[in-house]
């Protein structure tokens, strides 16, 4: 156990910290190298509204804006302040929804995104991997070719087109599902059966669009993987040995082909935390993606930084967890 | 009664690419009887069709490989089972016919413990509870020189020689009538090779199985086999007892193979065979060896020599007299 901690866990924790450090540092410097100055553009916006201000109040406003954006002081000072914000998860107030703090905005959006995206990801991963595995194993069957053709047709369609097409078809032409939103417009979230059902009803359409497109990818990658595994010696050997084909399919072929799928799943889980911008914009779903898009459109610097830092931490954590559980699913890792 | 009889068997790899059909004649017109309790070696260069022949024997034929022509049957307990009769063959798979693949690294499922692999292979054939089965498997593996710990190991925790022992244990636990070995000692070092060969021979003596052993390694054949079938370019060119093959080869190809081996005192002159074996999708007409044969004559180029019997042995060459003497 001690050896495990030292040899396995310690290097991975160090790597985890280093990845987050580099990620946050890049997130700090990248916008500062860009020619867009958030303070100036904010000022331009204010002036564009037709307000006239005396130079003194302009200077004061610039000063307080700089403070809000974390742009006051020298670069090293800003950098340290940025880390302080990142560690305490306090990115100051949002600028467009002033004075709501960024953390409150994220807290409001995160559950919607997680609920929708994580569920859709789970369903599409399970279904896509299972169908891809079975279809890859029975490659010569008609239904397998049919499924593959379906996945191949679905996969290359740009997502925003299929999402809008589904919306038009299932919300407008056949109004089965609501057009958008996470719950009926004008109601307040409450904990009742009726409200939970209406949340589900609102989530089905965006969820379905995500599942269909995600499944195509998981299906194709699992199928490609399994057709390689089926040619492995251990599968041929088990077939010659009369091992039942169900066992060969699940314990031999799928069990080995699933390993890279698990890796991809964890990467995808990490990116759930940055939201699905297109889905949330098309279906007007109040998640992180919508929040991020609004923040980009309005130049809400603090919100952008908050979401970016959170997704850096989320992806790095997902990879760390993957690293820690991988020995459980692949015994070959345990010895190294 | 022969265990296996093949008659004029043709098995081809048929690939279609952009509408053009390419046929690789890996096994072409092969007739062979495998006798009970013998160790039969099949020898030849890489790409001569010996592994394909073994795939047919082990009934693991997958497209693009296809049996095109010929008759092939197993004979177990006085019953004849035709090749391709999957339902009947499944009954005999592993219980009567076992298969030992190349001693390579990937024959055992890397994410499955040896214990579970054993259960997978034996569950249809033994009807005792898991604990008792585990005990018997441990006993059996110990007879093969493996410790009890092996059962709870993953394949990557075992050495190449141990893995091959596990596979041999897996294949022989049910005392099958017919064991098919495909290069069982490649990728193993000489000492381990020797152990594996001795183990196979010991098991064969105890259980009285019939073993078909495919290898390009003539030394291995000399060591273990009773009879050898020499293959060249998808055809059998000579079948004789191991002693006859090494003492007095009849076919030029066999003779050249034997002459390429160094003798123990190192005094013989080593000769080889020049050129490359033919591409099996486009084999030469006549005798397939003729472009490389130093003893070629006119009719070798156009006519195909039939397999002829000389006493207790057979060979396919025009330049052997009816009395079984080489005329070259």
């Amino acid at each position: 156990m001690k050896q495990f901690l030292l040899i396995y866990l310690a290097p991975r924790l160090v790597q985890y910290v280093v990845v987050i450090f580099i990620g946050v540092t890049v997130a700090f410097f990248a916008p500062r190298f860009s020619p867009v100055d958030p303070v100036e553009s904010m000022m331009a916006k204010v002036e564009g509204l037709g307000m006239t201000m005396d130079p003194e109040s302009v200077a004061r406003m610039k000063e307080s804006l700089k403070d809000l954006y974390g742009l006051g002081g020298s670069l090293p000072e800003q950098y340290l302040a940025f880390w302080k914000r990142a560690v305490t998860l306090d990115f100051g107030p949002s600028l467009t929804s002033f004075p709501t703090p960024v953390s409150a905005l994220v807290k409001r959006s995160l559950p919607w995104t997680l609920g929708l995206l994580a569920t859709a990801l789970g369903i599409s991963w399970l279904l896509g991997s299972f169908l891809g595995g079975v279809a890859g194993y029975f490659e010569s069957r008609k239904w397998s070719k049919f499924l593959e053709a379906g996945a191949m047709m679905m996969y290359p369609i740009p997502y925003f087109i299929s999402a809008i097409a589904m919306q038009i078809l299932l919300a407008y032409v056949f109004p089965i599902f609501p057009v958008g939103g996470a719950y009926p417009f004008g109601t307040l979230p409450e904990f009742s059966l009726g409200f939970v059902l209406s949340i589900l009803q609102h989530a089905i359409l965006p969820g379905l669009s995500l599942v269909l497109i995600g499944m195509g990818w998981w299906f194709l990658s699992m199928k490609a993987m399994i057709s390689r595994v089926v040619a492995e010696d251990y599968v041929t050997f088990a077939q010659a040995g009369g091992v039942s084909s169900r066992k060969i399919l699940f314990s031999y072929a799928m069990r080995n082909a699933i390993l890279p799928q698990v890796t991809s799943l964890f990467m995808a889980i990490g990116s759930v935390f940055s939201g699905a911008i297109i889905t949330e914009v098309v279906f007007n779903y109040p998640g992180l993606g919508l929040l991020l898009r609004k923040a980009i459109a309005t130049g809400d610097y603090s919100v952008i930084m908050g979401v970016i830092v959170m997704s850096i931490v989320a992806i790095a954590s997902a990879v760390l967890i993957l690293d820690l559980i991988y020995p459980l699913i692949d015994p070959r890792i345990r010895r190294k | 009664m022969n265990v296996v009889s093949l008659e004029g068997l043709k098995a081809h790899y048929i690939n279609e690419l952009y509408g053009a059909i390419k046929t690789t004649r890996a096994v072409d017109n092969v007739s062979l009887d495998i006798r009970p309790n013998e160790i039969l070696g099949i020898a030849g260069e890489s790409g001569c069709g010996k592994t394909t022949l073994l795939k047919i024997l082990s009934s693991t034929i997958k497209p693009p490989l296809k049996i095109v022509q010929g008759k092939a049957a197993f004979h177990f307990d006085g019953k004849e089972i035709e090749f391709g009769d999957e339902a009947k063959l499944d009954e005999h798979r592993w219980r009567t016919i076992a298969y030992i693949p190349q001693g390579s690294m990937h024959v055992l499922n890397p994410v499955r413990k040896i214990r579970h692999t054993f259960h997978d292979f034996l569950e249809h054939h033994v009807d005792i509870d898991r604990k008792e089965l585990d005990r018997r498997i441990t006993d059996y593996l110990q007879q093969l020189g493996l410790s009890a710990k092996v059962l709870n190991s993953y394949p990557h925790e075992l050495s190449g020689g141990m893995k091959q022992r596990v596979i041999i244990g897996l294949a022989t636990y049910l005392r099958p009538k017919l064991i098919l070995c495909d290069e069982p000692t490649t990728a193993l070092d000489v000492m381990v090779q020797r152990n594996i060969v001795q183990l196979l021979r010991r098991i064969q003596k105890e259980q009285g199985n019939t073993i078909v052993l495919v290898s390009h390694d003539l030394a291995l054949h000399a060591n273990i086999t009773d009879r050898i079938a020499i293959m060249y370019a998808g055809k059998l060119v000579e079948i004789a007892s191991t002693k006859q093959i090494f003492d007095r080869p009849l076919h030029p190809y066999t003779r050249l193979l034997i002459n390429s081996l160094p003798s123990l005192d190192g005094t013989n002159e080593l000769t080889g065979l020049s050129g490359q074996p033919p591409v099996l999708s486009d084999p030469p007409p006549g005798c397939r060896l003729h472009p490389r044969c130093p003893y070629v004559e006119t009719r070798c180029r156009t006519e195909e020599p039939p397999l002829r019997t000389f006493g207790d042995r057979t060979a396919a060459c025009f330049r052997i007299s009816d009395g079984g003497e080489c005329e070259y």
Side-chain angles (χ1 to χ4, degrees):
Chain A
M1 193 62 202
K2 198 181 158 200
Q3 221 185 0
F4 169 82
L5 287 177
L6 256 142
I7 293 172
Y8 197 86
L9 193 59
R12 281 168 177 78
L13 280 176
V14 170
Q15 191 189 1
Y16 175 66
V17 172
V18 169
V19 166
I20 290 181
F21 175 78
I22 294 175
V24 171
T25 305
V26 171
F28 170 80
F29 281 106
R32 280 168 178 77
F33 289 130
S34 103
V36 181
D37 182 338
V39 174
E40 287 305 326
S41 59
M42 190 72 185
M43 291 309 293
K45 236 183 243 168
V46 172
E47 276 156 20
L49 290 174
M51 277 191 241
T52 42
M53 288 187 277
D54 59 280
E56 197 191 323
S57 56
V58 167
R60 252 189 303 154
M61 186 162 175
K62 272 190 182 174
E63 210 41 55
S64 60
L65 275 175
K66 270 189 179 173
D67 212 44
L68 285 173
Y69 282 126
L71 291 171
S74 66
L75 208 58
E77 274 169 22
Q78 288 179 31
Y79 184 60
L80 276 180
F82 187 71
W83 266 110
K84 211 181 131 206
R85 289 173 158 212
V87 171
T88 54
L89 292 176
D90 171 21
F91 289 89
S94 156
L95 292 149
T96 38
S97 329
F98 195 84
T100 321
V102 171
S103 55
L105 285 178
V106 168
K107 217 185 264 171
R108 205 184 294 160
S109 311
L110 191 61
W112 296 114
T113 285
L114 285 190
L116 178 68
L117 265 59
T119 314
L121 177 63
I123 294 174
S124 65
W125 186 80
L126 282 175
L127 271 178
S129 300
F130 178 78
L131 289 177
V134 178
Y137 190 74
F138 298 104
E139 208 171 8
S140 49
R141 304 281 172 88
K142 267 215 178 74
W143 55 263
S144 162
K145 288 185 175 140
F146 181 77
L147 278 177
E148 187 177 18
M152 294 266 247
M153 253 152 48
M154 280 302 294
Y155 178 60
I157 301 174
Y159 174 66
F160 61 93
I161 290 184
S162 56
I164 292 173
M166 281 179 70
Q167 192 181 36
I168 292 173
L169 189 71
L170 294 176
Y172 185 73
V173 180
F174 305 104
I176 306 169
F177 299 111
V179 179
Y183 44 85
F185 189 72
T187 57
L188 279 174
E190 55 176 350
F191 199 77
S192 68
L193 184 66
F195 191 71
V196 170
L197 284 178
S198 98
I199 288 180
L200 283 179
Q201 201 197 1
H202 279 77
I204 286 177
L205 197 51
L208 196 65
S209 74
L210 285 168
V211 165
L212 280 182
I213 213 81
M215 226 173 80
W217 164 249
W218 296 119
F219 177 91
L220 291 175
S221 67
M222 182 69 176
K223 188 166 182 283
M225 203 55 217
I226 210 119
S227 56
R228 211 174 319 156
V229 170
V230 165
E232 289 281 351
D233 290 344
Y234 51 82
V235 174
T236 315
F237 185 52
Q239 283 164 343
V243 176
S244 68
S245 40
R246 229 185 84 163
K247 197 150 239 168
I248 296 179
L249 171 60
F250 290 111
S251 303
Y252 286 70
M254 290 251 240
R255 179 69 177 75
N256 279 286
I258 205 77
L259 300 174
Q261 291 285 100
V262 174
T263 307
S264 314
L265 173 68
F266 272 82
M267 306 298 255
I269 288 176
S271 52
V272 159
F273 283 83
S274 42
I277 296 186
I278 297 173
T279 317
E280 292 177 14
V281 169
V282 169
F283 295 100
N284 194 27
Y285 207 77
L288 278 178
L290 199 63
L291 180 70
L292 192 60
R293 197 203 80 99
K294 275 184 190 153
I296 293 169
T298 54
D300 195 338
Y301 214 63
S302 316
V303 171
I304 298 174
M305 280 305 162
V307 175
I308 286 176
V309 168
M310 191 178 67
S311 74
I312 289 170
V313 175
I315 291 177
S317 305
V319 173
L320 178 71
I321 295 171
L322 171 70
D323 254 352
L324 295 183
I325 66 160
Y326 213 78
L328 297 179
I329 56 170
D330 189 350
R332 282 166 293 184
I333 307 289
R334 275 172 232 172
R335 292 253 295 195
K336 280 176 196 152
Chain B
M1 192 68 179
N2 294 322
V3 178
V4 181
S5 52
L6 307 177
E7 239 181 83
L9 188 70
K10 287 187 180 178
H12 298 169
Y13 291 92
I14 301 167
N15 284 299
E16 198 188 318
L17 187 66
Y18 302 127
I21 290 172
K22 191 183 149 196
T23 308
T24 306
R25 299 176 176 84
V27 170
D28 211 5
N29 211 359
V30 163
S31 299
L32 179 67
D33 289 323
I34 300 172
R35 304 167 187 163
N37 297 338
E38 74 169 347
I39 303 185
L40 172 74
I42 299 177
E45 286 166 280
S46 300
C48 71
K50 53 192 195 306
T51 296
T52 307
L53 187 58
L54 207 68
K55 272 189 201 163
I56 297 167
L57 288 173
S58 64
S59 303
T60 47
I61 305 172
K62 283 184 208 171
L65 178 62
K66 228 180 130 183
I67 294 186
V68 206
Q69 210 187 325
K71 197 173 169 282
F74 294 107
H75 305 277
F76 298 127
D77 309 322
K79 279 182 210 146
E80 185 181 277
I81 302 162
E82 295 238 8
F83 279 46
D85 187 347
E86 289 296 329
K88 268 195 194 154
L89 273 174
D90 277 345
E91 238 171 82
H92 287 277
R93 241 180 246 275
W94 222 247
R95 192 158 58 82
T96 324
I97 313 164
Y99 170 61
I100 299 174
Q102 291 201 357
S104 76
M105 313 296 282
H106 309 294
V107 176
L108 295 167
N109 188 348
V111 297
R112 217 154 164 73
K113 281 186 179 166
I114 303 297
R115 172 203 301 279
H116 298 129
T117 300
F118 262 94
H119 293 167
D120 292 346
F121 277 74
L122 302 182
E123 65 184 356
H124 303 308
H125 308 290
V126 286
D127 198 19
I128 47 175
D129 71 288
R130 286 279 153 97
K131 240 189 192 152
E132 176 63 15
L133 179 62
D134 280 351
R135 208 183 53 74
R136 288 192 198 172
I137 296 169
T138 313
D139 277 356
Y140 188 65
L141 288 180
Q142 265 163 352
Q143 285 175 35
L144 306 188
L146 288 165
S147 82
K149 265 195 299 187
V150 165
L151 213 54
N152 276 324
S153 308
Y154 286 98
H156 68 274
E157 297 170 318
L158 307 177
S159 70
M162 285 160 92
K163 266 189 261 190
Q164 196 61 343
R165 269 166 204 270
V166 167
I167 291 163
I168 290 174
L170 204 52
T172 56
Y173 180 81
L174 297 168
R175 310 173 77 91
K177 287 228 162 56
L178 178 64
I179 304 175
L180 307 162
C181 308
D182 187 6
E183 312 254 9
T185 58
T186 33
L188 299 174
D189 71 58
V190 244
M191 290 303 292
V192 181
Q193 278 189 20
R194 202 176 100 103
N195 288 332
I196 295 291
V197 168
Q198 283 172 343
L199 182 66
L200 271 178
R201 205 156 38 179
R202 202 185 84 203
I203 291 171
Q204 196 262 350
K205 218 171 244 167
E206 276 171 24
Q207 304 187 348
N209 338 67
T210 304
I211 296 182
V212 178
L213 187 130
V214 159
S215 177
H216 60 265
D217 183 357
L218 283 173
L220 176 67
H221 285 295
N223 227 312
I224 185 171
T225 58
D226 302 318
R227 219 154 56 102
I228 298 181
I230 307 278
M231 268 188 100
Y232 182 77
K235 289 188 175 295
L236 283 179
V237 294
E238 182 162 7
I239 308 162
S241 76
T242 306
K243 196 165 164 24
Q244 287 169 331
I245 290 276
F246 282 92
D247 288 351
R248 203 172 65 88
L250 283 186
H251 197 278
Y253 181 67
T254 316
R255 184 192 284 196
L256 289 161
L257 276 185
I258 306 286
N259 285 350
S260 70
L261 297 172
S263 68
L264 208 52
D265 52 16
T267 50
N268 65 329
E269 195 187 325
L270 301 184
T271 51
L273 193 55
S274 59
Q276 295 286 323
V279 185
L280 291 180
S281 53
D282 184 25
C287 175
R288 290 192 177 174
L289 186 63
H290 85 254
R292 302 170 80 188
C293 184
Y295 316 111
V296 63
E297 52 175 39
T298 335
R299 62 172 167 169
C300 298
R301 297 179 209 276
T302 50
E303 269 177 71
E304 207 177 299
L307 205 58
R308 290 183 294 155
T309 306
F310 310 98
D312 55 352
R313 58 192 299 186
T314 49
C317 180
F318 290 124
R319 305 209 54 186
I320 303 168
S321 76
D322 292 333
E325 295 293 324
C326 297
E327 289 177 330
Y328 55 87

